[in-house]
Amino acid sequence: MKRRKPDLAALPGAAAGEIDDRLTLATPLRRLLNKVFPDHWSFMLGEIALYSFIVLLLTGTFLALFFDPSMEEVPYKGSFAPLRGISMSKAYESSLGISFDVRGGLFIRQMHHWAALLFMAAIVVHMLRVFFTGAFRKPRELNWIVGVLLFWMGFTEGFAGYSLPDDALSGTGLRIASAIMLSIPIVGTWVTTSLFGGEFPGTVILDRLYILHVLLVPGVILALITVHLGLLFKQMHTQWPGPGRNNRNVVGVRMFPGFALKTSGFFMAVFAIIALLGGLFQINPIWLFGPYKAAVVSAASQPDWYVMFLDGSTRLMPNWELRFHLFGHSYMIPALFWPTVVLPGILTVLPLFYPFIEARRLKDYRHHHLLQRPRDVPARTALGAMAVGFYLVLLASGGNDVIADKFHISLNAMTWAGRIGVLLVPPIAYYVTHRICLGLQQHDREVLSHGIETGIIKRSPDGRFYEVHQPLGRVDEHGHVDLEYAHWTVPKKMNRVGALIPTVRGFFFPLEAPPNGGDRPEAPVSPAPGREEIGSGRS
Amino acid sequence: MSTHGTGTGDFDVDDRTLQRFDLVREGARRDGVEILHYVPHFPVAGTRLERRAERTIAGLFLLTGLAATAFVVAYIWWPFTYKPGANINKFYTPVLGLTLGLTLLFVAVAVFAWGKKLLPEEISVQQRHGGASPDDERKLTGATMLNMVDELGIKRRPLLRRAALLGLAPVGVVTIAPLVGGLIKDPHHPDIFTTTGWRKGVRLVREDMTPVRPEEVSTGGQITVFPGIPNGTSNEYADSPTLLIHLRPDDAEKMRGNLRHIARNAGATWGDFVAYSKICTHAGCPASLYEQQTNRLLCPCHQSQFDILDNAFPIFGPATRRLPMLAITVDDGGYLICNSDEGFGVPIGPGFWERP
Amino acid sequence: MSAAPPDEPTGRRPRRRSLLGRLAGPRAPRSRLRRRISSAVRMVAALALVGGIYAAFTPTVSAQDTPALNAAAQAGKGLFDQTCISCHGQNAQGVPNRGPSLIGVGSASVEFQVTTGRMPAAQQGPQIERKPPQFSADQARQIGAYIQALGGGPQLPEGEDLHSNGDIAAGGALFRVNCTSCHAFGGGGGALSSGKYAPSLEVASDREIYAAMLTGPQNMPVFGDSELTPQEKEDIIAYIQNQKHDQDPGGWGLGRLGPVPEGLVVFLVGIVFLALVSLWIAGKS
């Protein structure tokens, strides 16, 4: 048999042929390659969460090779001198081992923790984007629900991870968690003892949290992410309204190579910032906290930031304890129950149903693929601002002892400020945001009918001064422009209509000007008339 | 497979006169994608600007390699074992972070620059095909599904339906039973909420198990004590840590005057000494920030404040109940001991539904 | 004993202090140690001399109300009568609503309050704060000697270095059970009720920490020598000083304040950076 020299150049083609013979991939593959993604910076926020999660899986696998969740007490013999000889659980001992005796272990541990914080931060920021732009509306309610569930799953995962090292902060957090479970009416004590295998802290809780943390919850998160992306892929991304964009199309770049290049670069950027944070900013220095002992606590004991709002709500809660008598026995609902069980319950259920509540209120059951500018939906935007205001007060209260200490404010005053603020800030935020939205709308319409303020002041022959406005369309005899507000971005500066060159080139704008000059299809209005037409001011 | 888009019907892919991009455009059209705007950044190849862009990106990749090498070198050879003080070992993690971060940052910037500067400018429009399925499709699928039900005959055979339900319901329980059965623990038998390590005669000991004499606690001082039983200082008795406070004489006088408000606390103090459970009645943190002049005890977790002189009444914050007081006295050896058969006599720490 | 052994922590501290000292006022911190040693030697000599002469010439003084004062205490009385007497009264008996009696507080308390600048107090507030001291360490000791002579009380051991003999690990365990609840794991201090606070230990010297434990200034509980033995106190000080001079192995320590600054960083650095990146690479409007 004659041996033929393989033709390397033809190899990929031949291989592709062989694969297609078996799998009939040509059409679906091309469809994938050609899928169009709209382009906007705010669409990248969810990706931060996705890529943080990948980093979490990678670093978490590394940590799992060295971590032992056992609560058995052992004396520390590792290299960190200030703890040597101290009795501690194996979990804490192995966490110290990762930090001081595994090469690069501290770096990976810190990356893991920062990635977790970033994961949750990105989820929250992404949810805000989706909420304020109305991207959750029909047909995307299900994806919104999946997103809310992802937040709570991430919350659970994060809390379990925070508890695992068994340092003094972990243990304090767990103790509060057990108190929260105890506060649940009727079943509280049973749930708590069942989970802890008896009295707090027992000997099994870390093993249980460990399996939750490394298998069950990540599995659920992974499944939810798959559903989240699958739905996104199936339903296609929303887009901002603009010229040529409507409810039936997507305007953007094809997935390959444009979008893929961008998003893989972004993955690298997310990975990079996590690496930089992990190396340059110390996080959770467990060796300062020491092993968990039931009698030990520190000033400024806080959970990670995404749990902190619940700590805040707990601090602000007045000491209201319900007591009542049933069948000759006295029962109670502790004050702890309301801010830590009822509040998160409301915060889960309300967002889950929000898309349906809004649709019902507005009687709007159509499909929406175009986003809304927040200013165009003042009621929703104001509601969102109200929620954010409420959340921020709780978040700040979660750290109110640190704020009190660093800014020399009375701790009791901080608590009272939070109690009053949590009632006062939301309505104020609602009102102010509502007014701002209306004002911005008004200004958009004004610019459309009168033109852009140029900053050029003219003096007329009769001595009046007026500012020259650049109209955005044809001017009628009253000096007005008949442009309808189309929910698009309205240019408000001269350089937005191509009249001025951006001062800094290259960073926010491509270095190379597009070859065919200014008539880009994205320009929201027809190109500006020549500069000699400047002159029609307010009549 | 039906095509999504609006490819031109008489398009001949084998037409020799077509450019490759014509094929791309046709492929995109068949997928419902119209490439509206497609302009290369550098229509003329090899201009000075293009070469500069290329060089920039190439440079970034080279920097990536450098940083990555630096990371590996640092990872292997930089000393990292713990040494107290400020020394080069303490820079191990920062150096790793910096080198790895820069590596990835260079990759990111190179990829971005590639996409921004070398890829053609493109605007494509894809038609959406979301929304409900066509009416006839819905009807056909609906009929298929209803037929499925008919085929099984569940509607016609009520006996079978009920029997299946009855038979399968326990199977569902089977999946939950081991989980619940394995985990469940009765909180009241033994009663874990009122029992602590404290019994009558149990000595108050420090963390190192040394017993405490009254004269060892200075006036205005406090000390965390544990029950002097085996493992009494360990987390096995997480509800037993107690704060022993030696009040100043005039403060102690005030405190003793207040003791009668709480029946359980009468006679529970010894001299100017008072002992409260350290476990906060709010969420179970150790309430241990004792302010010796104001005689307040602050819990650092949620800032509940207790008045030491008034049976640890919660005067601020979310706590609702007083800290339980431990009855103490001094034994023949001169050591402080617990003076109550049932320890604190009430459940320790946070509240719960059936708490009396 | 009085000379600092040339180990690392003490070698570093004077430099740190010098910056503070410069801020505080005209003091020459570099030579302070040497000056203090020599002044101590000189004082002992002077003491012996003056004491001898004093005893020889005025044998009947001790029969009066005020006990016999040695030279240091005599100098301290001078300082006391100039500055402290308005609040703490004649013979440190206290003035109602202005200042407490100082009988029995001991020289340790005086030295702590005066060298940290808390006394003389500037104004009444929820808490009297640390500020640049008005008296030198020697003057503080003289006042201390006076108060000690008046009513006795806890005294500090000799020497500047009260940490070298401590066991860091044992000190850490004691620190966590006794100190962290107010001063926090990182020693950065924390808030107490109604505007009071536990101060940061960042600038505290060995003697100051020792004195604070021994005397329980303001709202701090007292940790007398039977609660924490002198050895245990040195253990704790060793742990604190070691922690202060121990560079954070994980990068910038963020003030060792725990999750609050960490949460700020993840938004201000992480999210802001990535938002800028997305602004750079993706469309704007």
Side-chain angles (χ1 to χ4, degrees):
Chain A
M1 202 167 132
K2 196 181 164 198
R3 215 188 165 96
R4 262 193 309 161
K5 205 180 172 198
D7 181 4
L8 278 180
L11 200 60
E18 293 294 327
I19 293 172
D20 187 61
D21 280 351
R22 289 162 178 80
L23 300 173
T24 332
L25 269 181
T27 317
L29 177 67
R30 197 192 59 233
R31 195 167 293 157
L32 177 74
L33 296 177
N34 277 335
K35 195 170 178 63
V36 171
F37 276 84
D39 184 33
H40 193 262
W41 68 270
S42 66
F43 300 163
M44 315 284 291
L45 297 172
E47 288 180 29
I48 303 176
L50 176 66
Y51 298 138
S52 310
F53 187 68
I54 295 176
V55 176
L56 281 168
L57 290 181
L58 294 174
T59 51
T61 308
F62 178 91
L63 296 176
L65 299 177
F66 304 99
F67 179 69
D68 174 5
S70 161
M71 290 172 91
E72 194 194 323
E73 292 275 315
V74 288
Y76 179 67
K77 296 199 184 82
S79 59
F80 185 65
L83 282 172
R84 215 171 280 157
I86 301 288
S87 160
M88 55 182 64
S89 68
K90 268 192 176 165
Y92 183 64
E93 193 242 8
S94 59
S95 306
L96 285 178
I98 290 171
S99 307
F100 291 109
D101 296 309
V102 174
R103 192 170 269 280
L106 179 60
F107 176 51
I108 302 285
R109 219 199 90 221
Q110 298 204 130
M111 269 178 80
H112 191 71
H113 205 132
W114 280 118
L117 296 196
L118 192 64
F119 177 67
M120 292 306 288
I123 286 181
V124 169
V125 177
H126 174 58
M127 273 177 107
L128 290 177
R129 197 281 292 173
V130 167
F131 180 84
F132 283 115
T133 58
F136 57 81
R137 291 175 300 167
K138 192 176 174 182
R140 292 183 179 75
E141 302 99 325
L142 182 59
N143 230 7
W144 166 261
I145 289 171
V146 171
V148 174
L149 295 180
L150 269 171
F151 171 84
W152 284 110
M153 279 294 133
F155 182 94
T156 315
E157 177 73 349
F159 184 77
Y162 176 86
S163 303
L164 282 181
D166 203 26
D167 58 79
L169 268 189
S170 306
T172 306
L174 263 181
R175 180 144 218 172
I176 297 173
S178 85
I180 290 169
M181 280 183 258
L182 276 179
S183 76
I184 303 170
I186 304 170
V187 295
T189 48
W190 287 81
V191 169
T192 315
T193 45
S194 301
L195 222 69
F196 284 84
E199 196 174 354
F200 174 88
T203 52
V204 295
I205 186 66
L206 287 190
D207 293 291
R208 289 177 182 175
L209 286 177
Y210 185 60
I211 201 68
L212 273 183
H213 183 75
V214 300
L215 181 72
L216 294 177
V217 181
V220 174
I221 291 180
L222 208 55
L224 286 174
I225 288 179
T226 313
V227 173
H228 202 67
L229 294 181
L231 283 174
L232 163 78
F233 213 77
K234 166 89 181 119
Q235 295 178 325
M236 303 172 87
H237 208 286
T238 50
Q239 62 183 347
W240 287 104
R245 299 177 185 175
N246 58 44
N247 222 7
R248 293 173 311 282
N249 70 9
V250 191
V251 179
V253 294
R254 288 167 306 145
M255 186 147 159
F256 285 91
F259 178 76
L261 211 57
K262 199 175 279 184
T263 194
S264 51
F266 197 60
F267 178 23
M268 289 297 117
V270 173
F271 208 154
I273 190 75
I274 293 173
L276 287 172
L277 285 171
L280 302 179
F281 295 82
Q282 179 165 290
I283 188 166
N284 204 23
I286 53 166
W287 53 92
L288 294 180
F289 305 156
Y292 176 61
K293 301 271 183 238
V296 167
V297 75
S298 169
S301 283
Q302 261 96 16
D304 276 341
W305 79 264
Y306 47 86
V307 187
M308 215 177 275
F309 76 103
L310 287 184
D311 211 41
S313 66
T314 312
R315 291 173 182 202
L316 298 189
M317 181 72 196
N319 55 350
W320 297 336
E321 186 170 278
L322 294 186
R323 277 197 167 276
F324 36 89
H325 291 270
L326 285 175
F327 315 116
H329 193 285
S330 140
Y331 295 99
M332 69 180 287
I333 298 179
L336 192 58
F337 176 64
W338 309 106
T340 58
V341 182
V342 174
L343 181 77
I346 295 171
L347 292 184
T348 316
V349 173
L350 216 59
L352 280 181
F353 289 101
Y354 183 79
F356 306 104
I357 297 170
E358 190 190 277
R360 204 186 154 91
R361 247 182 60 81
L362 300 176
K363 297 194 173 51
D364 178 2
Y365 301 108
R366 288 166 300 157
H367 281 226
H368 296 280
H369 300 294
L370 286 180
L371 297 174
Q372 289 170 307
R373 305 181 77 202
R375 68 188 63 176
D376 291 342
V377 205
R380 182 205 296 143
T381 308
L383 201 66
M386 191 164 149
V388 170
F390 179 74
Y391 178 82
L392 286 181
V393 173
L394 294 188
L395 189 67
S397 298
N400 64 2
D401 49 343
V402 176
I403 298 173
D405 186 42
K406 294 300 150 201
F407 295 95
H408 300 286
I409 307 167
S410 158
L411 188 59
N412 299 25
M414 281 298 296
T415 305
W416 273 109
R419 282 174 178 173
I420 296 166
V422 85
L423 298 177
L424 221 58
V425 169
I428 293 175
Y430 185 94
Y431 179 77
V432 171
T433 313
H434 202 267
R435 299 309 301 176
I436 290 175
C437 286
L438 294 181
L440 288 171
Q441 267 189 47
Q442 172 109 350
H443 190 244
D444 277 1
R445 292 196 160 86
E446 200 177 289
V447 170
L448 282 176
S449 74
H450 294 298
I452 302 173
E453 296 167 354
T454 58
I456 300 166
I457 308 290
K458 266 197 171 180
R459 188 179 185 190
S460 64
D462 58 358
R464 284 190 306 143
F465 288 95
Y466 60 90
E467 185 179 5
V468 179
H469 285 229
Q470 166 67 56
L472 295 168
R474 195 177 297 282
V475 183
D476 66 10
E477 63 269 24
H478 304 296
H480 285 155
V481 182
D482 190 25
L483 281 176
E484 272 297 307
Y485 178 58
H487 307 289
W488 301 353
T489 310
V490 175
K492 301 223 169 135
K493 287 191 185 124
M494 289 303 282
N495 56 7
R496 295 276 173 202
V497 290
L500 297 168
I501 301 158
T503 43
V504 182
R505 279 166 61 81
F507 185 71
F508 281 114
F509 298 89
L511 270 178
E512 303 279 320
N516 44 356
D519 62 334
R520 309 170 128 216
E522 292 103 323
V525 287
S526 55
R531 225 170 275 198
E532 60 273 18
E533 277 184 36
I534 288 180
S536 152
R538 212 180 267 260
S539 59
Chain B
M1 197 179 282
S2 73
T3 54
H4 256 297
T6 53
T8 28
D10 51 355
F11 188 86
D12 179 12
V13 289
D14 295 324
D15 189 343
R16 292 259 164 198
T17 61
L18 291 177
Q19 307 265 327
R20 183 189 279 159
F21 191 70
D22 291 320
L23 296 179
V24 170
R25 199 179 283 264
E26 170 64 14
R29 279 188 184 140
R30 288 189 185 182
D31 297 333
V33 176
E34 185 63 44
I35 302 172
L36 284 184
H37 174 88
Y38 189 84
V39 189
H41 264 300
F42 302 102
V44 184
T47 56
R48 207 167 55 82
L49 274 176
E50 186 184 5
R51 271 183 286 134
R52 205 173 73 185
E54 243 182 88
R55 272 203 303 275
T56 312
I57 297 165
L60 283 166
F61 278 121
L62 289 180
L63 283 174
T64 305
L66 271 181
T69 315
F71 173 81
V72 174
V73 168
Y75 183 82
I76 298 173
W77 283 292
W78 197 288
F80 80 102
T81 44
Y82 174 79
K83 269 202 294 188
N87 48 60
I88 190 171
N89 298 24
K90 295 286 172 62
F91 287 102
Y92 183 62
T93 301
V95 164
L96 291 190
L98 201 65
T99 48
L100 184 61
L102 285 179
T103 307
L104 297 162
L105 211 56
F106 286 138
V107 182
V109 176
V111 170
F112 291 148
W114 196 319
K116 271 176 99 89
K117 292 188 180 167
L118 300 185
L119 247 48
E121 242 192 41
E122 171 188 331
I123 295 168
S124 300
V125 180
Q126 183 166 25
Q127 295 305 311
R128 286 182 192 273
H129 296 277
S133 316
D135 251 0
D136 51 342
E137 287 289 318
R138 283 187 175 200
K139 278 193 181 125
L140 296 177
T141 311
T144 311
M145 285 165 74
L146 288 175
N147 189 47
M148 218 165 69
V149 179
D150 282 353
E151 279 170 322
L152 289 171
I154 286 178
K155 271 191 180 159
R156 280 185 294 116
R157 302 188 181 101
L159 173 69
L160 209 55
R161 192 168 72 221
R162 281 174 210 147
L165 265 179
L166 232 69
L168 292 179
V171 178
V173 180
V174 164
T175 58
I176 314 169
L179 190 68
V180 174
L183 287 178
I184 205 151
K185 267 266 178 0
D186 187 340
H188 303 298
H189 302 96
D191 181 6
I192 63 163
F193 295 107
T194 43
T195 44
T196 60
W198 297 107
R199 293 278 170 285
K200 195 173 184 107
V202 169
R203 278 183 177 164
L204 279 58
V205 300
R206 299 186 183 82
E207 209 185 4
D208 58 3
M209 295 298 277
T210 51
V212 183
R213 287 172 183 275
E215 63 269 22
E216 287 170 0
V217 184
S218 338
T219 316
Q222 48 101 51
I223 184 170
T224 303
V225 291
F226 304 83
I229 53 174
N231 290 335
T233 64
S234 76
N235 285 347
E236 197 182 323
Y237 291 95
D239 50 7
S240 300
T242 301
L243 204 63
L244 176 69
I245 301 171
H246 185 179
L247 294 168
R248 264 186 284 270
D250 44 337
D251 290 338
E253 199 54 49
K254 245 184 251 169
M255 176 201 63
R256 277 191 293 271
N258 284 324
L259 282 182
R260 60 193 155 77
H261 299 312
I262 305 294
R264 204 180 59 242
N265 290 355
T269 59
W270 186 87
D272 295 348
F273 289 80
V274 61
Y276 290 109
S277 163
K278 206 175 177 181
I279 309 305
C280 182
T281 56
H282 173 237
C285 287
S288 46
L289 280 69
Y290 170 52
E291 302 173 1
Q292 65 124 333
Q293 283 182 336
T294 52
N295 284 301
R296 281 192 211 177
L297 195 62
L298 173 72
C299 175
C301 290
H302 305 104
Q303 282 108 43
S304 298
Q305 292 160 21
F306 302 91
D307 185 358
I308 292 302
L309 301 189
D310 184 13
N311 305 286
F313 179 74
I315 45 176
F316 189 82
T320 43
R321 275 163 286 112
R322 300 166 191 269
L323 294 169
M325 191 184 282
L326 184 71
I328 48 170
T329 187
V330 169
D331 66 6
D332 299 336
Y335 294 108
L336 282 160
I337 54 166
C338 170
N339 191 26
S340 163
D341 285 326
E342 51 208 353
F344 289 99
V346 287
I348 297 304
F352 49 92
W353 172 252
E354 57 267 49
R355 188 183 193 281
Chain C
M1 185 175 79
S2 57
D7 66 1
E8 201 163 26
T10 30
R12 279 173 54 86
R13 203 159 354 101
R15 231 181 46 222
R16 262 162 184 266
R17 194 75 78 62
S18 77
L19 186 69
L20 260 159
R22 240 176 287 152
L23 285 174
R27 274 168 55 188
R30 214 167 253 288
S31 62
R32 211 181 58 163
L33 195 66
R34 203 181 311 147
R35 206 186 54 197
R36 186 169 296 168
I37 297 163
S38 66
S39 73
V41 171
R42 266 184 276 130
M43 191 180 297
V44 170
L47 261 174
L49 188 68
V50 175
I53 296 169
Y54 197 73
F57 283 95
T58 53
T60 54
V61 165
S62 56
Q64 293 179 0
D65 282 355
T66 37
L69 295 177
N70 60 29
Q74 198 64 49
K77 181 172 166 42
L79 291 166
F80 183 93
D81 289 346
Q82 277 169 28
T83 320
C84 319
I85 197 163
S86 57
C87 294
H88 293 292
Q90 192 80 39
N91 292 328
Q93 299 289 331
V95 177
N97 299 324
R98 294 187 76 175
S101 159
L102 299 182
I103 303 302
V105 301
S107 65
S109 180
V110 175
E111 202 180 311
F112 175 84
Q113 300 285 359
V114 175
T115 50
T116 60
R118 287 185 168 84
M119 288 290 150
Q123 77 262 348
Q124 293 286 335
Q127 185 155 332
I128 295 163
E129 302 192 10
R130 189 187 183 104
K131 56 183 182 294
Q134 200 167 320
F135 294 109
S136 72
D138 291 336
Q139 287 172 317
R141 275 181 214 192
Q142 287 166 349
I143 305 174
Y146 172 58
I147 299 298
Q148 189 72 34
L150 282 182
Q155 280 174 287
L156 286 182
E158 290 294 314
E160 289 295 308
D161 172 16
L162 296 172
H163 69 267
S164 292
N165 299 323
D167 174 350
I168 293 174
L174 290 167
F175 181 77
R176 285 187 290 275
V177 80
N178 291 305
C179 317
T180 52
S181 53
C182 301
H183 292 286
F185 292 125
L192 297 174
S193 71
S194 309
K196 298 183 286 292
Y197 61 91
S200 164
L201 304 176
E202 186 55 45
V203 292
S205 70
D206 291 3
R207 286 183 79 81
E208 285 164 17
I209 299 172
Y210 199 107
M213 286 191 273
L214 198 57
T215 62
Q218 304 197 45
N219 267 303
M220 176 165 165
V222 182
F223 294 92
D225 277 345
S226 45
E227 286 156 283
L228 293 172
T229 62
Q231 180 58 45
E232 286 174 329
K233 287 198 178 73
E234 295 205 11
D235 292 347
I236 290 177
I237 295 170
Y239 178 77
I240 294 171
Q241 303 295 14
N242 175 68
Q243 206 189 51
K244 281 198 309 209
H245 298 121
D246 201 11
Q247 187 190 342
D248 289 309
W252 180 28
L254 301 173
R256 297 179 182 170
L257 285 172
V260 171
E262 290 162 10
L264 281 176
V265 164
V266 86
F267 278 93
L268 297 182
V269 179
I271 292 290
V272 165
F273 171 80
L274 290 169
L276 284 177
V277 170
S278 19
L279 268 170
W280 175 42
I281 61 170
K284 255 66 77 186
S285 57

